Amino acid sequence: MIIFIVVIIAAYLLQMALPWWIIIVVSFITCGLIGKTAKVSLWGSFFAIFCLWSGYAVFESLPNQHMLANRVAEMFGVKVWWALVLLTGFLGGFVAGVSGFCGHHFRKAMLAKNQAAE
């Protein structure tokens, strides 16, 4: 739960000024520092960015009655705007989840390397 909160807040704040791929850095560092297990790191990061990106897509789409979202959804071959929102959330969540998973395993590898060197 702490990973979810840290990732969603840090990603939200940093994405105001930095590109979308900052979620990779945020997830990697957060899970590298406080990820207890690989499973928690993967799913915590995934759901944080899934909720952030899906929620933001709906928030931005509401003022124009989902007109732009419907047009972009048609370009992708889906007929409804909410499928595009789910796809957006899933893709961002997938990237963040993989990054969090890698961050956790990077920390484990560094700890194992330090223990082997001693």
Side-chain angles (χ1 to χ4, degrees), residues 4 7-16 18-27 45-61 81-82 84-97:
F4 179 88
V7 169
I8 202 167
I9 290 171
Y12 175 74
L13 294 174
L14 290 173
Q15 282 185 335
M16 289 182 184
L18 297 170
W20 70 268
W21 48 264
I22 196 65
I23 65 169
I24 297 169
V25 177
V26 168
S27 297
S45 297
F46 175 87
F47 284 120
I49 299 302
F50 180 85
C51 292
L52 178 66
W53 280 22
S54 297
Y56 193 70
V58 170
F59 177 76
E60 288 293 322
S61 185
W81 65 270
W82 53 265
L84 183 68
V85 169
L86 291 177
L87 179 65
T88 300
F90 180 77
L91 290 175
F94 177 76
V95 169

Side-chain angles (χ1 to χ4, degrees), residues 66 69-74 77-86:
H66 313 293
N70 278 323
R71 290 181 181 174
V72 174
E74 287 179 20
V78 293
K79 302 295 182 207
V80 289
W81 65 270
W82 53 265
L84 183 68
V85 169
L86 291 177

